Amino acid sequence: MRTVAQHIADRLGQFTPKALLTLGSGLGALANDVEDATVLPFGEVGLPDTTVPGHEGRLLAGHLEGVPVLCQQGRVHLYEGRDVSETVACVRAAAELGAEVFIATNAAGGIGDGAPEDPTPGDLMLIADHLNFTGENPLIGLPTPHFVDLKDAYDPQLRAVAREAAQATGHPLREGVYAALRGPSFETPAEITWLRTVGANAVGMSTVPEVIAARDAGLRVAAFSLLTNVHLPGGSTTDHEEVIDVGSKAGPRLAAVLRALVPRL
Ligand code: HPA
């Protein structure tokens, strides 16, 4: 059986991406900036199709600011009933094709304390570390155990470069810990209290398995959350429409940061 990387290579010929960029909920617009793009619908290269509104389900190969990239417009999630190996298939394929860097983006809920420095909807957050509450790990069941170190999973040097890129664009960039839950229901007030207590600054339903697979494959990782909503003490309602809406309004700011980041890789 042909692997995803082989399918992609068949379509692209000689093309070595420097980076894989994965665009989360409502953030797909950056894909429009990819030049000389070859568009590969997930289904045509053996990737599972996504069922989520706001997730296109296609892979673009081309250049962003002159840098060869693969751009994954939309992703599959555990809550779609997918196996964890399917959620990381694109990351593994990018590594096989020679990518060195994985840049992940997602929509997430910020976790505030009711303090003036709390996040507000539309803020950008650089992920400094994660909490894996998905109950999954893409390295389970590999033929030999992969005891991958995750101390600096979110590469400190890339984080410094990301801060520089954000500064160059004039867009403020928070930094914090991203907690991944399986979803798809949003969090209860009690779960938010628990997440705040254990040190989460944002909560979402993706990215963490991909980052683990990326580190296993030797890719350096930078990851960004667009905080589409904010959970405050006492509880807050969350809806997917709002996530998409704030995501697409604030998306151009994250896109600008990524365009500034990519040439600095
Ligand atoms: N929780 C989980 N996932 C999310 C949220 C949230 O509040 N906002 C956007 N994605």
Side-chain angles (χ1 to χ4, degrees), residues 107-109 186-187 203-205 228-229 231 238 243:
F186 289 114
E187 299 70 35
V203 55
M205 306 173 189
T228 52
N229 53 289
H231 297 274
T238 313
V243 167

Side-chain angles (χ1 to χ4, degrees), residues 15-93:
F15 178 83
T16 305
K18 171 84 179 172
L20 168 69
L21 281 82
T22 296
L23 306 177
S25 292
L27 301 170
L30 181 73
N32 300 332
D33 297 342
V34 178
E35 287 163 12
D36 3 290
T38 304
V39 178
L40 307 169
F42 285 175
E44 290 182 16
V45 289
L47 286 169
D49 263 321
T50 166
T51 59
V52 190
H55 282 259
E56 289 282 351
R58 51 193 208 155
L59 189 64
L60 284 85
H63 291 81
L64 191 63
E65 304 292 320
V67 178
V69 295
L70 283 175
C71 188
Q72 186 189 355
Q73 196 179 16
R75 54 156 69 84
V76 293
H77 301 81
L78 294 168
Y79 63 71
E80 293 172 75
R82 297 301 187 166
D83 188 85
V84 66
S85 63
E86 296 180 280
T87 70
V88 304
C90 195
V91 170
R92 288 191 167 140

